[in-house]
Amino acid sequence: MEVRRETPVDGAQGPHAAPRPWASVQRLLRWVREHWLLPILVLATAVRFYDLTAAAIWGDEGSSLLLSQYSLSEIWSHAAHDVHPPLYFMLLHGWIELFGDGIFSIRCLSALPGIATVWLGVWLMDLIATRRAALLTGVLLALLPTAVRYSQEVRMYSLLGLWLIGATIALVYWIRYPRRTRYLVAYALLMTAAFYTHYFTALCVVCHWLYLGVIRLQPGYRLRHIQRPGWWLANGAIVLLYLPWVPSLIDLIQHMDLLKANGDVGWEDPVTISSLPSMIWSFLIQDDGEKLPTPLFIAMPLALLALMWVALARDRSVFRGSALVAIYSVVPLLLVFGVSFISPVFIERYVTAYALGLPMIAALAIDRLYSGFRVIALMALMLFVGVELVGLKNNATVDTNDQISVMVEYVNQHFVAGDRIVTSDMLWYLSYVYYNRTDTKPLLYTPPLPNGTSGRPNAYGFGTLVTQDVYIDSLGSLPKGTGRVWLIGTAEGPDEFAPLPAGWQGVNKTQAGGANARLFVMH
């Protein structure tokens, strides 16, 4: 059997392989230079910091900020009723303590992990393929639109990608050096951090086990790592470290009906067969592609499948790194897509950490085509980069004058002491409170439901973020104060506050970012 090791297995090519401290530094600097890491990271930084503050804080980001305002112990208890684990919110809490809650600062907590993930992508590819493939991965990963987008939101998705790619690197090192338990320790810690960041980490566990099964059953040189006690102990350690959170997760599952009642889950659109290619297009151009001609709509997913076939078919290495990347990219997508026919969860941001594998697949295929089919390889590279640039352009298309922050600033400027502010729904409320600079607490309008029951959110999901004194069930119960009230609601569609109390007179109105603010005088 012919075996071609694309990377030496003695660790000489890794960035941290030298035995002595100064030699390690020299080796790292040489590795950085040889892989063009600084220019790649500059590119990744430029696209992630470009227009970082252009888009206003939206509802999900506002929920992150509200949750991070609690103490660490309170974050733990409130996150137990939210749809995400607590680690990101705890880190955001500490970040705000150090750097403040300005929009640039808080979004840096996502941008910086996004940039670091590009470096990890280069590192991973250098372990499983060639230097050229690693360089290509860096460029394509730096420009990946879905990664850029979620590196600019105050949410946990960018951080999740960092943990998962880091854990995958630790796994590859352990496969190369199975007697060095420090790699399994690193793997266990990184995967535990990922589990405390997002529940979809479970998909990565499936990928890693499946990959170990593949290299165990491959023809010829079989690797028996899946049978090693150390691997089972590492996974047992992850379970043990996660046990403190398990009761909260069980409680959350048992109260799924309350999450659905609040609209925290169950709001996703049902999937169709076209949802899968639409997701690929969303990763690459930040548009679902539904308006594209049908041949073009299916061409990009088919092209990616062709690149994956090239990467897999031309992989002669012992460790089958291409299989690892392919499994990491494809299996989570297919699993979530399949489950979504039962309970829709096929949302871009939930699987964006796994989309990080797409540039790696492309880089592997282009690298392996280059030696024998140089023109085709260059055409594939230009096509992939061109599509990514379209996605970056779509990402950057933000009208800064049409954001909810503009509307809130208008209210801030025209606010009179004693005015009341009432928002029509939770998502508007979560955005509004971040930009509110008045001395009054915005309220959330929660009229009774048509069946007469309370319209207030329950204690799960977003409902865990606010106290009962925020809710107002009837506009007629507002204290007059100055006799003025600002109603914040959706700009288009039916009036969410109708019918208004008798005697209210509208005197001012502004709108931006899909929301409007109407000023009424109460007579």
Side-chain angles (χ1 to χ4, degrees), residues 402-404 407 424 428 488-493 496 510-517:
D402 189 24
Q403 302 290 315
I404 188 174
M407 181 269 289
S424 65
W428 292 134
I488 313 299
T490 306
E492 305 294 336
E496 297 141 310
T510 186
Q511 76 175 57
N516 62 26

Side-chain angles (χ1 to χ4, degrees), residues 41-60:
L41 293 183
V42 168
L43 176 63
T45 301
V47 296
R48 282 157 180 76
F49 278 90
Y50 178 78
D51 266 358
L52 182 65
T53 62
I57 295 293
W58 71 290
D60 279 12

Side-chain angles (χ1 to χ4, degrees), residues 123-381:
W123 187 356
L124 175 60
M125 194 56 53
D126 191 50
L127 286 171
I128 64 175
T130 66
R131 185 183 303 168
R132 181 170 58 209
L135 194 154
L136 288 171
T137 293
V139 174
L140 298 181
L141 195 53
L143 297 176
L144 183 64
T146 189
V148 173
R149 174 180 178 179
Y150 292 106
S151 293
Q152 296 182 324
E153 285 198 0
V154 190
R155 297 297 277 170
M156 69 291 298
Y157 308 109
S158 175
L159 182 64
L160 177 64
L162 179 73
W163 298 140
L164 296 184
I165 299 299
T168 304
I169 290 173
L171 175 64
V172 172
Y173 267 112
W174 174 71
I175 291 172
R176 290 178 177 276
Y177 314 109
R179 294 183 180 179
R180 300 183 183 179
T181 56
R182 63 177 180 270
Y183 297 129
L184 280 179
V185 171
Y187 177 82
L189 292 176
L190 288 165
M191 288 300 290
T192 301
F195 268 112
Y196 276 104
T197 300
H198 201 280
Y199 295 120
F200 275 27
T201 297
L203 298 170
C204 189
V205 174
V206 173
C207 293
H208 289 164
W209 277 85
L210 185 57
Y211 167 66
L212 290 179
V214 167
I215 60 175
R216 171 64 181 86
L217 299 175
Q218 66 181 341
Y221 195 87
R222 298 181 179 183
L223 300 174
R224 303 175 185 272
H225 293 71
I226 198 170
Q227 299 171 250
R228 288 181 174 270
W231 172 246
W232 290 81
L233 287 173
N235 282 267
I238 295 170
V239 173
L240 288 174
L241 290 170
Y242 199 60
L243 278 179
W245 188 251
V246 170
S248 299
L249 176 58
I250 293 173
D251 177 75
L252 199 65
I253 294 171
Q254 291 174 338
H255 292 89
M256 194 63 65
D257 56 330
L258 296 181
L259 289 168
K260 289 181 179 179
N262 279 356
D264 295 282
V265 299
W267 55 267
E268 302 89 346
D269 294 330
V271 296
T272 64
I273 296 300
S274 67
S275 299
L276 191 55
S278 286
M279 183 64 75
I280 302 298
W281 281 108
S282 295
F283 289 149
L284 296 176
I285 67 168
Q286 294 298 281
D287 184 277
D288 62 14
E290 295 282 357
K291 296 180 180 179
L292 295 172
T294 301
L296 181 58
F297 179 68
I298 64 175
M300 177 57 72
L302 291 178
L304 285 173
L305 284 176
L307 290 174
M308 188 180 304
W309 178 82
V310 171
L312 291 170
R314 290 174 171 258
D315 188 350
R316 300 291 185 268
S317 64
V318 172
F319 302 104
R320 301 290 179 182
S322 298
L324 173 60
V325 176
I327 290 169
Y328 179 87
S329 306
V330 174
V331 170
L333 204 61
L334 293 179
L335 285 175
V336 177
F337 177 63
V339 168
S340 293
F341 282 97
I342 303 170
S343 178
V345 287
F346 200 50
I347 305 299
E348 179 191 354
R349 56 184 177 270
Y350 297 167
V351 289
T352 190
Y354 299 101
L356 299 173
L358 297 180
M360 299 183 195
I361 291 171
L364 283 168
I366 292 168
D367 175 54
R368 286 163 184 167
L369 283 170
Y370 189 78
S371 57
F373 305 93
R374 186 165 298 187
V375 173
I376 296 176
L378 292 175
M379 288 177 61
L381 176 60

Side-chain angles (χ1 to χ4, degrees), residues 410-411 414-416 419-423 432 484-488 497 508-510 517-520:
Y410 181 89
V411 177
H414 294 82
F415 183 86
V416 174
D419 284 2
R420 304 291 176 177
I421 299 172
V422 183
T423 59
Y432 195 98
R484 300 183 356 145
V485 58
W486 295 88
L487 299 183
I488 313 299
F497 295 99
N508 200 350
K509 180 179 179 180
T510 186
R518 294 176 292 162
L519 176 62
F520 289 87

